[in-house]
Amino acid sequence: MSNEKPIGIFDSGFGGLTVARAVIDLLPTEDVVYFGDTARYPYGPKPLNEVREFAFQIVEYLINEHDVKLLVVACNTAAAAALDELSAEISVPIIGVLAPGTQAAIDVSRTGRIGVIGTVGTINSGAYKRAFSTLSDEEIQPLTLACPGFVEFVEKGESSGEQLQVLAERLLAPIVSANVDTLLLGCTHYPYLARVIGQVVGSDVVLVSSADETAFEVSRQLTDMDLLVEEEKEGKRVFISSGDVSWFAEVGERLFGPELASAQAHEWNSST
Ligand code: DGL
């Protein structure tokens, strides 16, 4: 495989940009293709088998049309629904966000009292409970909690305001009473809401996002496979949206920064 090929990263919408940011900051010479499936977001409330179909479709598109050398499922819901099947069936190496996020939370927690928040799909799949029992020596059992509604605020480009504050206080009440020392943001959209979430749970609780740890895993795998780009140059970044592209670029630029000043369109049709 060629080192010059891009890394493919995808999410239902803007959330995976938190992971793309960490990958680009860690590996600035790598080319990155980012796909946000905004035509079909949110994934969280959808049945897992539907999300699995979407994930396979996006992965095929990124392999066939963009010839990616490694894939990052930068969406907890899609990773919970499809990572095992994707890893078994595709030829390109693929990384999810669940294990890196879980490991980061275990490393940070002093007491083992850990909360995990995510979409309904991710939390109901039980994927985080399984990840903690696989990765923690002391059988940590996290308090897992679905936060329906958070993703929609990010997709509207809103990361503050009274409505969000009220929703956060209502949704996060069980986390506040559980006296956790660490809260894993088990949805890639949530780091954009970290200020509000942090205010509600209190400054004693460490918020952990999977983005940095996932970027380290990307770097480790590319190094192990000898697939890191060798030339010292600025990597190219391509952003693709299946929904309204000008909206994607407008909100994306606000969340991600000036590199996302424009985006390309990809329309799903019956043959894609
Ligand atoms: N960002 C996604 C996640 O990490 C999902 C958001 C959604 O589409 O519901 O779960």
Side-chain angles (χ1 to χ4, degrees):
M1 202 184 289
S2 154
N3 298 33
E4 306 309 313
K5 294 178 175 186
I7 299 167
I9 303 178
F10 73 93
D11 177 48
S12 62
F14 297 113
L17 291 172
T18 56
V19 179
R21 174 84 278 155
V23 169
I24 289 169
D25 288 348
L26 187 66
L27 302 169
T29 56
E30 294 291 331
D31 293 350
V32 168
V33 178
Y34 181 88
F35 188 91
D37 198 10
T38 40
R40 307 189 293 198
Y41 108 93
Y43 283 3
K46 296 196 166 71
L48 287 184
N49 56 358
E50 191 178 350
V51 175
R52 192 174 307 126
E53 262 176 51
F54 294 166
F56 267 89
Q57 229 176 5
I58 297 168
V59 160
E60 276 164 29
Y61 165 73
L62 288 171
I63 294 174
N64 296 338
E65 304 295 322
H66 293 275
D67 200 17
V68 295
K69 62 181 172 186
L70 177 131
L71 279 154
V72 183
V73 187
C75 172
N76 292 260
T77 316
L83 186 65
D84 292 347
E85 289 84 346
L86 285 166
S87 310
E89 287 183 34
I90 63 165
S91 53
V92 171
I94 187 159
I95 294 171
V97 280
L98 279 102
T102 302
Q103 192 57 58
I106 292 169
D107 293 346
V108 157
S109 176
R110 298 176 314 276
T111 63
R113 284 197 303 275
I114 299 175
V116 182
I117 52 174
T119 66
V120 170
T122 300
I123 297 304
N124 288 355
S125 74
Y128 268 111
K129 292 212 189 262
R130 288 193 293 280
F132 273 91
S133 73
T134 309
L135 293 172
S136 68
D137 299 332
E138 308 127 50
E139 280 296 309
I140 292 175
Q141 294 188 338
L143 171 68
T144 61
L145 183 75
C147 291
F150 274 178
V151 166
E152 285 76 356
F153 275 95
V154 178
E155 293 287 323
K156 279 189 287 182
E158 286 176 35
S159 54
S160 60
E162 204 188 317
Q163 276 184 320
L164 177 61
Q165 182 77 26
V166 169
L167 179 69
E169 281 168 13
R170 181 168 63 74
L171 291 173
L172 296 171
I175 297 286
V176 174
S177 5
N179 198 23
V180 299
D181 75 359
T182 302
L183 180 61
L184 173 55
L185 307 179
C187 171
T188 52
H189 282 69
Y190 296 176
Y192 290 123
L193 308 178
R195 209 163 42 152
V196 174
I197 293 171
Q199 268 164 12
V200 173
V201 297
S203 54
D204 293 348
V205 177
V206 181
L207 301 187
V208 173
S209 116
S210 52
D212 288 340
E213 206 54 43
T214 303
F216 288 130
E217 185 57 27
V218 170
S219 171
R220 268 193 294 270
Q221 291 216 13
L222 290 179
T223 306
D224 289 352
M225 293 180 294
D226 204 15
L227 280 180
L228 280 171
V229 106
E230 276 152 22
E231 203 189 330
E232 279 305 316
K233 45 107 185 155
E234 178 75 8
K236 283 199 294 288
R237 281 96 214 207
V238 174
F239 298 92
I240 305 161
S241 161
S242 59
D244 180 337
V245 186
S246 48
W247 172 247
F248 189 80
E250 191 189 317
V251 175
E253 187 179 14
R254 236 185 291 153
L255 296 169
F256 188 82
E259 291 126 302
L260 210 173
S262 70
Q264 299 176 12
H266 176 74
E267 212 172 305
W268 295 118
N269 58 46
S270 47
S271 64
T272 48

